[in-house]
Short mmCIF file of all heavy atoms in Angstrom, two decimals:
data_model
loop_
_atom_site.label_atom_id
_atom_site.label_comp_id
_atom_site.label_asym_id
_atom_site.label_seq_id
_atom_site.Cartn_x
_atom_site.Cartn_y
_atom_site.Cartn_z
N GLN J 27 -0.54 -19.26 35.62
CA GLN J 27 -1.52 -18.20 35.35
C GLN J 27 -2.93 -18.80 35.54
O GLN J 27 -3.17 -19.93 35.13
CB GLN J 27 -1.37 -17.72 33.85
CG GLN J 27 -2.39 -16.75 33.34
CD GLN J 27 -3.55 -17.43 32.67
OE1 GLN J 27 -3.37 -18.46 32.00
NE2 GLN J 27 -4.74 -16.89 32.80
N PHE J 30 -10.55 -16.63 36.18
CA PHE J 30 -11.84 -17.12 36.58
C PHE J 30 -12.76 -15.93 36.83
O PHE J 30 -12.31 -14.79 36.98
CB PHE J 30 -11.77 -17.98 37.84
CG PHE J 30 -11.04 -17.35 38.99
CD1 PHE J 30 -11.67 -16.47 39.86
CD2 PHE J 30 -9.70 -17.57 39.19
CE1 PHE J 30 -11.01 -15.86 40.93
CE2 PHE J 30 -9.01 -16.96 40.24
CZ PHE J 30 -9.65 -16.13 41.09
N ALA J 31 -14.05 -16.24 36.88
CA ALA J 31 -15.04 -15.19 37.22
C ALA J 31 -15.52 -15.47 38.64
O ALA J 31 -15.53 -16.60 39.10
CB ALA J 31 -16.20 -15.24 36.24
N ARG J 62 -11.99 -7.01 36.98
CA ARG J 62 -12.88 -6.00 36.44
C ARG J 62 -14.29 -6.52 36.37
O ARG J 62 -14.49 -7.73 36.29
CB ARG J 62 -12.44 -5.46 35.04
CG ARG J 62 -12.41 -6.55 34.00
CD ARG J 62 -12.02 -6.01 32.62
NE ARG J 62 -12.26 -6.99 31.58
CZ ARG J 62 -11.48 -8.02 31.35
NH1 ARG J 62 -10.39 -8.25 32.05
NH2 ARG J 62 -11.80 -8.92 30.40
N PRO J 63 -15.27 -5.62 36.40
CA PRO J 63 -16.67 -6.10 36.25
C PRO J 63 -16.92 -6.56 34.83
O PRO J 63 -16.38 -5.95 33.89
CB PRO J 63 -17.47 -4.85 36.56
CG PRO J 63 -16.56 -3.71 36.23
CD PRO J 63 -15.14 -4.19 36.45
N ILE J 64 -17.71 -7.61 34.69
CA ILE J 64 -18.12 -8.00 33.33
C ILE J 64 -19.63 -7.95 33.17
O ILE J 64 -20.11 -8.05 32.08
CB ILE J 64 -17.56 -9.36 32.89
CG1 ILE J 64 -17.77 -10.40 33.98
CG2 ILE J 64 -16.09 -9.29 32.54
CD1 ILE J 64 -17.37 -11.82 33.54
N ALA J 65 -20.31 -7.84 34.28
CA ALA J 65 -21.76 -7.67 34.23
C ALA J 65 -22.20 -7.35 35.67
O ALA J 65 -21.40 -7.47 36.59
CB ALA J 65 -22.44 -8.94 33.76
N ARG J 66 -23.47 -7.00 35.86
CA ARG J 66 -23.94 -6.79 37.20
C ARG J 66 -23.78 -8.04 37.95
O ARG J 66 -24.28 -9.14 37.55
CB ARG J 66 -25.43 -6.38 37.16
CG ARG J 66 -25.61 -4.92 36.85
CD ARG J 66 -26.76 -4.33 37.65
NE ARG J 66 -28.00 -5.07 37.35
CZ ARG J 66 -29.19 -4.63 37.66
NH1 ARG J 66 -29.33 -3.45 38.30
NH2 ARG J 66 -30.30 -5.32 37.37
N GLY J 67 -23.07 -8.02 39.06
CA GLY J 67 -22.97 -9.23 39.87
C GLY J 67 -21.90 -10.19 39.42
O GLY J 67 -21.81 -11.28 39.99
N PHE J 68 -21.11 -9.83 38.43
CA PHE J 68 -20.01 -10.72 38.01
C PHE J 68 -18.74 -9.93 37.67
O PHE J 68 -18.82 -8.88 37.08
CB PHE J 68 -20.42 -11.48 36.72
CG PHE J 68 -21.45 -12.53 36.94
CD1 PHE J 68 -22.78 -12.24 36.66
CD2 PHE J 68 -21.12 -13.75 37.48
CE1 PHE J 68 -23.75 -13.20 36.89
CE2 PHE J 68 -22.09 -14.73 37.72
CZ PHE J 68 -23.45 -14.44 37.42
N THR J 70 -14.39 -10.57 36.61
CA THR J 70 -13.40 -11.55 36.14
C THR J 70 -12.02 -11.14 36.56
O THR J 70 -11.71 -9.92 36.73
CB THR J 70 -13.51 -11.81 34.61
OG1 THR J 70 -12.70 -12.90 34.25
CG2 THR J 70 -13.08 -10.56 33.86
N THR J 122 -25.80 -39.83 21.52
CA THR J 122 -26.47 -38.79 20.73
C THR J 122 -25.51 -37.91 19.99
O THR J 122 -25.86 -36.91 19.40
CB THR J 122 -27.33 -37.88 21.66
OG1 THR J 122 -26.41 -37.37 22.66
CG2 THR J 122 -28.43 -38.66 22.36
N ALA J 124 -23.30 -36.26 17.37
CA ALA J 124 -23.39 -36.18 15.89
C ALA J 124 -22.14 -35.58 15.32
O ALA J 124 -22.13 -35.15 14.14
CB ALA J 124 -24.62 -35.35 15.53
N THR J 126 -19.27 -36.10 13.54
CA THR J 126 -18.66 -37.16 12.75
C THR J 126 -17.31 -36.79 12.16
O THR J 126 -16.60 -37.65 11.66
CB THR J 126 -19.58 -37.54 11.57
OG1 THR J 126 -19.93 -36.38 10.89
CG2 THR J 126 -20.85 -38.22 12.10
N VAL J 127 -16.95 -35.53 12.19
CA VAL J 127 -15.74 -35.11 11.52
C VAL J 127 -14.52 -35.88 12.02
O VAL J 127 -13.68 -36.28 11.20
CB VAL J 127 -15.54 -33.59 11.63
CG1 VAL J 127 -14.22 -33.17 10.97
CG2 VAL J 127 -16.67 -32.83 11.04
N LYS J 136 -9.90 -39.87 2.49
CA LYS J 136 -9.10 -38.65 2.48
C LYS J 136 -8.18 -38.55 3.70
O LYS J 136 -7.04 -38.04 3.59
CB LYS J 136 -10.09 -37.49 2.50
CG LYS J 136 -9.49 -36.15 2.21
CD LYS J 136 -10.58 -35.09 2.21
CE LYS J 136 -9.99 -33.70 2.40
NZ LYS J 136 -10.98 -32.71 2.76
N GLN J 158 -24.75 -40.68 15.91
CA GLN J 158 -25.87 -40.99 16.80
C GLN J 158 -26.24 -42.47 16.74
O GLN J 158 -27.43 -42.84 16.61
CB GLN J 158 -27.06 -40.12 16.47
CG GLN J 158 -26.64 -38.64 16.49
CD GLN J 158 -27.85 -37.67 16.57
OE1 GLN J 158 -28.77 -37.77 15.80
NE2 GLN J 158 -27.76 -36.73 17.51
N VAL J 182 -18.83 -34.62 22.29
CA VAL J 182 -19.51 -33.85 23.31
C VAL J 182 -19.19 -34.47 24.67
O VAL J 182 -19.24 -35.68 24.83
CB VAL J 182 -21.07 -33.89 23.09
CG1 VAL J 182 -21.78 -33.22 24.22
CG2 VAL J 182 -21.38 -33.23 21.74
N THR J 183 -18.78 -33.61 25.60
CA THR J 183 -18.36 -34.11 26.89
C THR J 183 -19.20 -33.49 28.01
O THR J 183 -19.01 -33.82 29.19
CB THR J 183 -16.87 -33.73 27.18
OG1 THR J 183 -16.75 -32.29 27.09
CG2 THR J 183 -15.95 -34.34 26.15
N GLN J 184 -20.13 -32.64 27.64
CA GLN J 184 -20.94 -31.95 28.63
C GLN J 184 -21.58 -32.91 29.59
O GLN J 184 -22.11 -33.95 29.14
CB GLN J 184 -22.05 -31.14 27.90
CG GLN J 184 -22.09 -29.73 28.34
CD GLN J 184 -23.21 -28.97 27.64
OE1 GLN J 184 -24.09 -29.61 27.04
NE2 GLN J 184 -23.19 -27.69 27.70
N LYS J 185 -21.53 -32.62 30.83
CA LYS J 185 -22.14 -33.40 31.87
C LYS J 185 -21.73 -34.89 31.81
O LYS J 185 -22.50 -35.82 32.07
CB LYS J 185 -23.67 -33.32 31.80
CG LYS J 185 -24.16 -31.90 32.07
CD LYS J 185 -25.65 -31.75 31.92
CE LYS J 185 -26.06 -30.29 31.87
NZ LYS J 185 -27.31 -30.03 31.15
N SER J 187 -21.21 -36.89 29.41
CA SER J 187 -21.94 -37.79 28.51
C SER J 187 -20.99 -38.73 27.75
O SER J 187 -21.36 -39.88 27.44
CB SER J 187 -22.74 -36.96 27.49
OG SER J 187 -21.88 -36.19 26.71
N PRO J 215 -11.67 -35.59 21.18
CA PRO J 215 -10.69 -34.53 21.53
C PRO J 215 -10.31 -34.58 23.00
O PRO J 215 -9.22 -34.11 23.34
CB PRO J 215 -11.39 -33.22 21.21
CG PRO J 215 -12.84 -33.57 21.08
CD PRO J 215 -12.92 -34.97 20.62
N ARG J 216 -11.14 -35.11 23.86
CA ARG J 216 -10.80 -35.12 25.31
C ARG J 216 -10.41 -36.48 25.79
O ARG J 216 -10.16 -36.70 26.99
CB ARG J 216 -11.98 -34.62 26.13
CG ARG J 216 -12.35 -33.17 26.08
CD ARG J 216 -11.34 -32.24 26.71
NE ARG J 216 -10.39 -31.72 25.75
CZ ARG J 216 -10.71 -30.81 24.82
NH1 ARG J 216 -11.88 -30.25 24.75
NH2 ARG J 216 -9.78 -30.37 23.98
N ARG J 233 -6.90 -35.72 20.62
CA ARG J 233 -6.75 -34.68 19.58
C ARG J 233 -5.51 -34.91 18.74
O ARG J 233 -4.47 -35.33 19.22
CB ARG J 233 -6.77 -33.29 20.20
CG ARG J 233 -5.70 -33.03 21.19
CD ARG J 233 -5.95 -31.73 21.97
NE ARG J 233 -5.48 -31.82 23.36
CZ ARG J 233 -4.23 -31.75 23.71
NH1 ARG J 233 -3.26 -31.49 22.83
NH2 ARG J 233 -3.87 -31.85 24.97
N ALA X 182 -26.39 -21.34 26.30
CA ALA X 182 -26.59 -22.77 25.97
C ALA X 182 -26.46 -23.66 27.19
O ALA X 182 -25.96 -24.76 27.08
CB ALA X 182 -25.49 -23.16 24.94
N SER X 183 -27.00 -23.21 28.30
CA SER X 183 -26.79 -24.02 29.50
C SER X 183 -27.73 -25.22 29.58
O SER X 183 -27.47 -26.14 30.34
CB SER X 183 -26.98 -23.17 30.77
OG SER X 183 -28.38 -22.92 30.94
N THR X 191 -29.82 -15.65 33.26
CA THR X 191 -28.68 -14.98 33.92
C THR X 191 -27.58 -14.67 32.93
O THR X 191 -27.03 -13.57 32.92
CB THR X 191 -28.10 -15.94 34.99
OG1 THR X 191 -29.17 -16.32 35.89
CG2 THR X 191 -26.99 -15.27 35.77
N ALA X 195 -26.28 -10.97 31.61
CA ALA X 195 -24.85 -10.62 31.79
C ALA X 195 -24.21 -10.31 30.42
O ALA X 195 -23.46 -9.32 30.30
CB ALA X 195 -24.13 -11.81 32.44
N GLU X 198 -25.22 -6.90 29.26
CA GLU X 198 -24.47 -5.89 30.00
C GLU X 198 -23.05 -5.78 29.52
O GLU X 198 -22.41 -4.72 29.53
CB GLU X 198 -24.52 -6.19 31.50
CG GLU X 198 -25.85 -5.91 32.10
CD GLU X 198 -26.02 -6.43 33.51
OE1 GLU X 198 -25.20 -7.26 33.91
OE2 GLU X 198 -26.94 -5.98 34.20
N ALA X 199 -22.52 -6.92 29.08
CA ALA X 199 -21.11 -6.94 28.59
C ALA X 199 -21.04 -6.45 27.12
O ALA X 199 -19.94 -6.46 26.56
CB ALA X 199 -20.54 -8.34 28.73
N THR X 210 -29.84 -30.36 21.80
CA THR X 210 -29.48 -31.33 20.74
C THR X 210 -30.69 -32.12 20.33
O THR X 210 -31.44 -32.63 21.17
CB THR X 210 -28.46 -32.33 21.33
OG1 THR X 210 -27.26 -31.65 21.50
CG2 THR X 210 -28.23 -33.46 20.30
N LEU X 214 -35.24 -32.44 15.32
CA LEU X 214 -35.80 -33.71 14.79
C LEU X 214 -37.10 -34.09 15.47
O LEU X 214 -37.70 -35.10 15.15
CB LEU X 214 -34.77 -34.81 14.97
CG LEU X 214 -33.44 -34.54 14.32
CD1 LEU X 214 -32.48 -35.74 14.40
CD2 LEU X 214 -33.59 -34.11 12.86
N GLY X 226 -31.90 -29.30 29.22
CA GLY X 226 -31.54 -29.46 27.81
C GLY X 226 -30.17 -30.08 27.70
O GLY X 226 -29.45 -30.18 28.68
N PHE X 227 -29.81 -30.39 26.46
CA PHE X 227 -28.56 -31.08 26.27
C PHE X 227 -27.70 -30.29 25.24
O PHE X 227 -28.07 -30.29 24.08
CB PHE X 227 -28.82 -32.53 25.83
CG PHE X 227 -27.60 -33.29 25.80
CD1 PHE X 227 -26.96 -33.70 26.96
CD2 PHE X 227 -27.00 -33.62 24.57
CE1 PHE X 227 -25.79 -34.38 26.91
CE2 PHE X 227 -25.82 -34.30 24.55
CZ PHE X 227 -25.21 -34.69 25.70
N GLY X 228 -26.71 -29.63 25.73
CA GLY X 228 -25.94 -28.78 24.84
C GLY X 228 -26.73 -27.57 24.36
O GLY X 228 -26.32 -26.84 23.50
N GLY X 229 -27.84 -27.32 24.99
CA GLY X 229 -28.69 -26.21 24.62
C GLY X 229 -30.01 -26.33 25.40
O GLY X 229 -30.21 -27.24 26.16
N ARG X 250 -32.79 -0.86 30.81
CA ARG X 250 -31.75 -0.40 31.74
C ARG X 250 -30.55 0.14 30.98
O ARG X 250 -29.92 1.11 31.37
CB ARG X 250 -31.34 -1.58 32.65
CG ARG X 250 -30.31 -1.24 33.66
CD ARG X 250 -30.54 -1.99 34.98
NE ARG X 250 -30.71 -3.46 34.78
CZ ARG X 250 -29.70 -4.30 34.55
NH1 ARG X 250 -28.46 -3.87 34.50
NH2 ARG X 250 -29.93 -5.57 34.43
N THR X 326 -18.37 -26.59 8.27
CA THR X 326 -17.91 -27.31 9.47
C THR X 326 -17.37 -28.67 9.13
O THR X 326 -16.59 -29.22 9.89
CB THR X 326 -19.05 -27.46 10.48
OG1 THR X 326 -20.10 -28.15 9.88
CG2 THR X 326 -19.54 -26.11 10.94
N THR X 327 -17.80 -29.27 8.02
CA THR X 327 -17.29 -30.56 7.67
C THR X 327 -16.29 -30.52 6.50
O THR X 327 -15.46 -31.39 6.37
CB THR X 327 -18.43 -31.57 7.32
OG1 THR X 327 -19.31 -30.89 6.40
CG2 THR X 327 -19.25 -31.89 8.53
N PHE X 407 -5.33 -19.08 23.59
CA PHE X 407 -4.65 -17.81 23.21
C PHE X 407 -4.65 -17.66 21.72
O PHE X 407 -4.95 -16.56 21.21
CB PHE X 407 -3.25 -17.84 23.83
CG PHE X 407 -3.23 -17.91 25.31
CD1 PHE X 407 -3.02 -19.07 26.00
CD2 PHE X 407 -3.58 -16.76 26.05
CE1 PHE X 407 -3.04 -19.12 27.38
CE2 PHE X 407 -3.64 -16.81 27.46
CZ PHE X 407 -3.37 -17.98 28.11
N ALA X 436 -13.38 -24.84 21.32
CA ALA X 436 -13.07 -26.24 21.27
C ALA X 436 -13.26 -26.97 22.58
O ALA X 436 -12.97 -28.17 22.66
CB ALA X 436 -11.65 -26.45 20.75
N ILE X 437 -13.69 -26.24 23.61
CA ILE X 437 -13.60 -26.84 24.93
C ILE X 437 -14.99 -27.10 25.55
O ILE X 437 -15.33 -28.19 25.91
CB ILE X 437 -12.76 -25.94 25.83
CG1 ILE X 437 -11.39 -25.73 25.21
CG2 ILE X 437 -12.66 -26.52 27.25
CD1 ILE X 437 -10.57 -24.69 25.89
N THR X 439 -19.32 -25.33 25.99
CA THR X 439 -20.25 -24.27 25.67
C THR X 439 -19.88 -23.07 26.54
O THR X 439 -19.38 -23.27 27.65
CB THR X 439 -21.70 -24.72 25.88
OG1 THR X 439 -21.81 -25.28 27.21
CG2 THR X 439 -22.11 -25.79 24.86
N LEU X 442 -19.63 -17.77 31.22
CA LEU X 442 -20.00 -16.36 31.29
C LEU X 442 -18.83 -15.40 30.96
O LEU X 442 -18.96 -14.45 30.17
CB LEU X 442 -20.56 -16.06 32.69
CG LEU X 442 -21.26 -14.74 32.85
CD1 LEU X 442 -22.64 -14.96 33.43
CD2 LEU X 442 -20.48 -13.83 33.81
N ALA X 443 -17.66 -15.76 31.51
CA ALA X 443 -16.51 -14.89 31.28
C ALA X 443 -16.01 -15.03 29.84
O ALA X 443 -15.45 -14.10 29.28
CB ALA X 443 -15.39 -15.23 32.23
N ALA X 446 -17.82 -12.60 27.79
CA ALA X 446 -17.36 -11.19 28.06
C ALA X 446 -16.07 -10.98 27.28
O ALA X 446 -15.90 -9.96 26.61
CB ALA X 446 -17.14 -10.97 29.55
N LEU X 447 -15.18 -11.94 27.28
CA LEU X 447 -13.88 -11.81 26.54
C LEU X 447 -14.17 -11.70 25.07
O LEU X 447 -13.55 -10.92 24.35
CB LEU X 447 -12.97 -12.97 26.83
CG LEU X 447 -12.31 -13.04 28.19
CD1 LEU X 447 -11.43 -14.28 28.26
CD2 LEU X 447 -11.46 -11.78 28.44
N GLU X 450 -15.48 -8.26 24.32
CA GLU X 450 -14.36 -7.27 24.40
C GLU X 450 -13.48 -7.38 23.20
O GLU X 450 -13.02 -6.35 22.68
CB GLU X 450 -13.59 -7.52 25.71
CG GLU X 450 -14.33 -7.03 26.92
CD GLU X 450 -13.75 -7.55 28.24
OE1 GLU X 450 -12.72 -8.29 28.23
OE2 GLU X 450 -14.42 -7.34 29.27
N ARG X 517 -36.45 -37.60 7.38
CA ARG X 517 -37.48 -37.52 8.43
C ARG X 517 -38.60 -36.57 8.03
O ARG X 517 -38.40 -35.56 7.39
CB ARG X 517 -36.80 -36.96 9.71
CG ARG X 517 -35.75 -37.91 10.24
CD ARG X 517 -34.89 -37.19 11.29
NE ARG X 517 -34.08 -38.14 12.02
CZ ARG X 517 -32.76 -38.19 11.93
NH1 ARG X 517 -32.12 -37.34 11.13
NH2 ARG X 517 -32.09 -39.05 12.65
#
Side-chain angles (χ1 to χ4, degrees):
Chain J
Q27 173 268 326
F30 52 83
R62 63 177 190 283
I64 48 174
R66 280 217 300 194
F68 289 99
T70 187
T122 55
T126 51
V127 178
K136 194 178 161 196
Q158 306 197 311
V182 175
T183 59
Q184 231 182 16
K185 298 177 192 154
S187 61
R216 288 292 96 71
R233 58 193 147 77
Chain X
S183 74
T191 304
E198 287 171 342
T210 291
L214 305 185
F227 187 71
R250 183 145 50 81
T326 58
T327 48
F407 297 101
I437 304 169
T439 50
L442 192 124
L447 288 180
E450 285 164 5
R517 298 167 167 109

